[in-house]
Amino acid sequence: MDNLAAIGLDGVPGVVGADSSGTIWTWNLVTGDRRERPLDLDNAAPEDPVPDADGEIWDEDDSDEEEDDLLEEEPPTADPDEVVSRLAAANFDGRPVVVTGGGRFDLTHLLGEDYMGGAVRVWDLGTGHKIGKTLTGHGLGVCSLVTVSSERGPLVLSSSEEGKLLVWDLTRGELIADLKGSYNGEMTAALVGGRPIAVTGGEDSSLQVWDVLSGEQLGEPLTGIEPVVRAIAIAEVNGRAVVVAGGDEMTARVWDIARGEQIGVPLSGHTGSIRSIAVTRLNGATVAVTGSEDGTARIWDIARGQQLGDPLAGHEGAIEVVVTTEIDGRPIAVTGGEDGTVRAWNLTLM
């Protein structure tokens, strides 16, 4: 399973994932308990009018003109795998929620062949019911999805195949920024100096840094990476904010955000594309954990540019590092693989 996110479960570290049937799974990382909850996909369709590929607006009332024809057709149904193409998690009004980003044909299954995908939805983790409205605005599928806190409250950021970065106010369900990133855009976001910052990348040989609330690009693009960028993380190293990114060139690179400069040497060792990056603290140092298509995860001391210990191996096929957290003071990494398994690793033992 390679569609996972970190989440708090009654004050205990946990992880949440989704399978191709639209079922949400949660794991308590302390007890190992696993629970499942199907999503209420009957309510996945948009409530508001949606423009089709030609810019025409779809509305449920339009169907009245062709009611006889529609009665002969099967009602539209959501494709679970398309609805839950990407996944993130957050706490909303004191309860854990799951945020999903739709694939390229998400809305095609619900509205017809003139519509594509990329809808964002919020789901109550306890009931599986949708919270608020289906959020639309992408023309193609969501490539990356994250949540981040801000002075406005929790935000949801989604980047898509057409290179669009949308920022949503989770509390109000309002779109607050529509930015232009990279095609097939990878993205991450975090608080830097108390301000939510996003970093985007994709099929360009650079990364872009954004002030999420103002919608302004910060500084010049961060250059020196080869496309396609498939994983980005933001960390703090020795008091300065840095970006760690990797992808098809099979190495991870590090940039100082304030200076806009690449620092250190590339982190090399993987033999397949880097699919994900998570960051944590280990023995007083900031480390990155990278997951790759070569079936391993590797731990890196970012400041020193060195790999720590042996690769984390055991999955078959590509893996994703989705979260690093602490249990009883021990940093834990969680990996999900295309082999359908989820594994937790005590990094102090590596």
Side-chain angles (χ1 to χ4, degrees):
M1 184 175 291
D2 59 354
N3 201 354
L4 302 170
I7 197 166
L9 301 172
D10 297 323
V12 176
V15 64
V16 58
D19 62 25
S20 59
S21 72
T23 298
I24 296 295
W25 299 81
T26 58
W27 289 266
N28 184 310
L29 293 180
V30 175
T31 66
D33 290 343
R34 184 184 69 178
R35 297 182 180 181
E36 61 179 293
R37 173 70 65 181
L39 295 180
D40 179 17
L41 297 180
D42 290 340
N43 293 309
E47 294 80 3
D48 296 330
V50 179
D52 64 15
D54 297 324
E56 306 247 343
I57 298 294
W58 169 88
D59 194 306
E60 287 182 325
D61 293 338
D62 294 341
S63 62
D64 293 339
E65 300 176 4
E66 303 175 357
E67 185 174 354
D68 293 338
D69 293 337
L70 289 175
L71 288 175
E72 299 177 3
E73 300 178 3
E74 295 208 0
T77 57
D79 182 319
D81 203 26
E82 287 289 327
V83 171
V84 195
S85 178
R86 292 292 182 269
L87 181 145
N91 283 304
F92 178 66
D93 288 341
R95 56 181 166 167
V97 300
V98 172
V99 186
T100 59
R104 179 179 294 185
F105 303 108
D106 174 15
L107 297 180
T108 308
H109 294 274
L110 292 165
L111 306 181
E113 61 183 13
D114 292 332
Y115 303 87
M116 298 296 283
V120 174
R121 303 170 177 90
V122 182
W123 310 86
D124 187 299
L125 187 59
T127 65
H129 294 157
K130 190 176 72 172
I131 299 172
K133 294 183 177 182
T134 294
L135 308 176
T136 61
H138 290 297
L140 294 174
V142 172
C143 298
S144 186
L145 186 72
V146 299
T147 60
V148 65
S149 60
S150 78
E151 60 191 46
R152 291 183 58 136
L155 306 177
V156 176
L157 289 77
S158 56
S159 60
S160 60
E161 293 175 279
E162 79 268 34
K164 182 182 287 189
L165 171 62
L166 299 181
V167 183
W168 306 90
D169 182 317
L170 180 58
T171 303
R172 299 172 180 82
E174 297 176 350
L175 180 66
I176 62 174
D178 183 341
L179 309 175
K180 180 64 177 177
S182 298
Y183 287 103
N184 292 323
E186 180 57 42
M187 175 268 303
T188 195
L191 292 178
V192 175
R195 188 90 172 162
I197 299 298
V199 181
T200 57
E203 295 193 5
D204 299 320
S205 56
S206 64
L207 307 174
Q208 304 85 39
V209 183
W210 305 90
D211 183 305
V212 170
L213 294 180
S214 71
E216 296 179 353
Q217 185 170 336
L218 301 178
E220 296 297 321
L222 308 178
T223 60
I225 194 167
E226 296 297 323
V228 173
V229 178
R230 301 193 184 276
I232 309 172
I234 297 173
E236 183 176 308
V237 178
N238 297 329
R240 57 180 174 173
V242 303
V243 174
V244 186
D248 286 354
E249 67 173 337
M250 299 183 289
T251 63
R253 298 174 184 269
V254 184
W255 291 261
D256 183 303
I257 292 180
R259 297 179 181 178
E261 299 175 348
Q262 191 171 158
I263 56 177
V265 297
L267 311 178
S268 60
H270 282 295
T271 58
S273 177
I274 294 175
R275 292 271 298 269
S276 59
I277 302 173
V279 293
T280 191
R281 297 284 293 177
L282 178 61
N283 299 326
T286 302
V287 300
V289 186
T290 54
S292 169
E293 288 185 349
D294 63 17
T296 70
R298 295 172 185 259
I299 310 166
W300 309 90
D301 184 314
I302 299 176
R304 297 182 178 181
Q306 297 177 346
Q307 182 176 322
L308 302 177
D310 296 326
L312 310 181
H315 288 286
E316 294 181 6
I319 69 172
E320 182 176 359
V321 180
V322 294
V323 57
T324 54
T325 187
E326 284 193 1
I327 300 177
D328 297 329
R330 299 169 298 163
I332 304 294
V334 179
T335 57
E338 289 184 345
D339 57 7
T341 64
V342 176
R343 298 170 183 260
W345 309 83
N346 183 351
L347 299 184
T348 61
L349 302 179
M350 302 304 161

